[in-house]
């Protein structure tokens, strides 16, 4: 989601300011928060990220339909340097860069076979790319997509080991309405809406991934005040009966990080899950692009509540 102006950010922060507590509620431990600086007017606005199995290579997209491929240099597990290609445009089915109003790419998922999937929230749709530099192919649409709220639609995207896609809109309507989860099974031609995720204000979904453990991880954020953003990551068991066993892994303090929008989950050599996130600076001078990483110790999970209730 893009924040349109300095005044919009200030006004929205004042309206949505909520007392979230001085201390973060967290089972995840911060490993690194690394500033990422690039050149050119197309650098910035990162909305999605995927990291390879050993945590060294990555692909990221911006909300202007550009992508980069890069390398993460680590020291004792922490990210100490980021190298990346210059941003290059994603390409339409006609093998051309997307025109304005068609560029708001938000969700990113990489399939086991290397295909890349991207969700767009302005013109609500999803596309697949055989490789980042290849022309895109449109995916089927669910009947709900057309009516989704503008600038708050298909924000989060994830794919499981079988190639099944899951996408979640940023808003669900009323604050009491759960977020719908749309599923497109591998090889299917129609989306399903099999289950939903309870909405607990003020957080809104902005990124998702399915980890090597087969669980769904959901990144949510809130512009708390003029002091900045707070982010939350919830984890769910993903099974035939839907989403169960909700665990809140991370809730950052206000202003701890910038506008985290993209999430990649991978497993390190110690067997712990890593949450690698990228921030969207909205192309504003007072915001920053950073890659933030937390480690989730394998024995430190804290269950909150099961989603069996109210389903």
């Amino acid at each position: 989601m893009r924040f349109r102006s300095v005044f919009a950010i200030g006004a929205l922060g004042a309206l949505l300011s909520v007392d979230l507590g001085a201390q973060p509620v967290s089972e995840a431990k911060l490993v690194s928060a690394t500033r990422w600086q690039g050149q050119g007017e197309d650098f910035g606005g990162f909305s999605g990220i995927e990291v390879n199995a050993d945590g060294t290579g990555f692909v990221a997209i911006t909300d202007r339909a550009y992508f980069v491929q890069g390398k993460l240099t680590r020291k004792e597990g922490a990210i100490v340097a980021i190298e990346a290609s210059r941003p290059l445009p994603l390409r339409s089915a006609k093998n051309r860069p997307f025109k304005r109003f068609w560029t708001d790419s938000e969700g990113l998922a990489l399939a086991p076979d290397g295909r890349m999937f991207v969700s767009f929230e302005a013109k609500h749709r999803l596309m697949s790319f055989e490789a980042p530099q290849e022309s895109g192919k449109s995916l089927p649409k669910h009947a709900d997509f057309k009516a989704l709220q503008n600038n708050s639609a298909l924000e989060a995207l994830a794919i499981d080991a079988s190639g099944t896609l899951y996408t979640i809109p940023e808003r669900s309507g009323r604050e009491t309405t759960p977020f719908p989860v749309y599923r497109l099974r591998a090889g299917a031609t129609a989306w399903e809406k099999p289950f939903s995720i309870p909405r607990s204000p003020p957080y809104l979904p902005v990124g998702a991934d399915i980890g090597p453990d087969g669980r769904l991880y959901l990144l949510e954020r809130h512009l708390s005040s003029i002091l900045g953003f707070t982010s939350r990551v919830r984890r769910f068991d993903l099974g035939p009966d839907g989403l169960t066993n909700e665990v809140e892994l991370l809730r950052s303090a206000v202003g701890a990080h910038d506008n985290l929008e993209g999430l990649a989950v991978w497993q390190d050599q110690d067997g712990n899950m890593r949450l690698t996130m990228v921030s969207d600076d909205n192309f504003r001078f007072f915001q920053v692009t950073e890659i933030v990483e937390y480690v989730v110790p394998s024995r430190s999970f804290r269950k909150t509540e099961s989603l069996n209730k109210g389903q």
Side-chain angles (χ1 to χ4, degrees):
M1 175 181 176
R2 302 175 184 175
F3 291 92
R4 303 299 180 185
S5 68
V6 177
F7 300 103
I9 291 178
L12 185 60
L15 288 172
L16 298 183
S17 182
V18 174
D19 182 8
L20 300 173
Q23 298 296 322
V25 178
S26 178
E27 297 295 340
K29 307 300 180 185
L30 180 64
V31 176
S32 54
T34 310
R35 188 75 59 90
W36 181 13
Q37 295 180 320
Q39 296 181 347
E41 62 180 10
D42 298 317
F43 180 86
F46 288 97
S47 55
I49 189 170
E50 287 283 3
V51 176
N52 67 2
D54 66 2
T56 59
F58 74 94
V59 177
I61 60 168
T62 80
D63 60 16
R64 293 182 179 177
Y66 280 76
F67 75 92
V68 301
Q69 295 174 296
K71 176 183 177 182
L72 302 174
T73 300
R74 297 176 177 276
K75 183 177 182 180
E76 297 180 352
I79 299 170
V80 294
I82 303 168
E83 300 176 50
S85 63
R86 65 183 179 88
L88 295 173
L90 294 171
R91 307 189 77 83
S92 71
K94 296 182 179 180
N95 201 31
R96 300 171 183 169
F98 290 102
K99 296 181 180 180
R100 188 182 178 188
F101 304 121
W102 292 82
T103 60
D104 201 355
S105 47
E106 294 290 345
L108 174 66
L110 294 183
D113 63 6
R115 283 182 299 163
M116 185 172 80
F117 295 88
V118 177
S119 63
F120 296 79
E121 86 169 351
K123 301 292 185 179
H124 309 158
R125 69 199 192 280
L126 295 99
M127 299 189 73
S128 65
F129 302 82
E130 292 297 323
Q133 68 274 16
E134 299 292 330
S135 58
K137 179 181 178 181
S138 295
L139 297 184
K141 294 182 180 180
H142 191 279
D144 289 357
F145 290 175
K146 187 176 182 180
L148 292 174
Q149 185 174 334
N150 188 39
N151 200 38
S152 297
L154 303 175
E155 186 86 15
L157 181 65
I159 192 168
D160 67 17
S162 73
T164 296
L165 288 168
Y166 300 83
T167 188
I168 305 161
E170 184 178 4
R171 293 185 184 271
S172 59
R174 296 181 179 179
E175 289 189 349
T176 56
T177 302
F179 297 108
V181 178
Y182 298 95
R183 178 176 65 193
L184 182 66
R185 296 183 186 274
T189 58
W191 288 85
E192 308 167 281
K193 189 166 61 172
F195 38 78
S196 61
I197 296 176
R199 179 169 173 171
S200 54
Y203 291 94
L204 298 171
V206 288
D209 200 9
I210 294 176
D213 54 1
R215 295 179 170 116
L216 175 68
Y217 293 75
L218 182 67
L219 170 63
E220 299 167 289
R221 63 98 192 277
H222 170 60
L223 178 54
S224 177
S225 68
I226 59 174
L227 298 177
F229 295 88
T230 172
S231 298
R232 178 174 70 179
V233 175
R234 289 188 283 170
R235 188 202 69 186
F236 308 90
D237 289 349
L238 181 58
D241 297 325
L243 300 174
T244 57
N245 299 329
E246 176 183 342
V247 178
E248 184 177 286
L249 299 175
L250 165 67
R251 185 186 299 182
S252 68
V254 174
H257 308 298
D258 208 283
N259 178 28
L260 299 179
E261 282 208 9
L263 169 68
V265 181
W266 56 284
Q267 191 169 29
D268 65 22
Q269 61 183 5
D270 296 321
N272 300 317
M273 292 298 167
R274 296 263 180 150
L275 311 176
T276 305
M277 294 165 281
V278 66
S279 68
D280 176 0
D281 68 355
N282 293 296
F283 297 93
R284 304 297 182 188
F285 72 90
F286 53 85
Q287 290 185 255
V288 300
T289 299
E290 60 180 345
I291 293 182
V292 174
E293 192 166 88
Y294 283 76
V295 62
V296 183
S298 58
R299 296 184 180 181
S300 69
F301 295 153
R302 174 175 54 82
K303 183 182 293 188
T304 55
E305 61 178 335
S306 173
L307 293 184
N308 286 326
K309 298 178 181 180
Q311 290 287 328

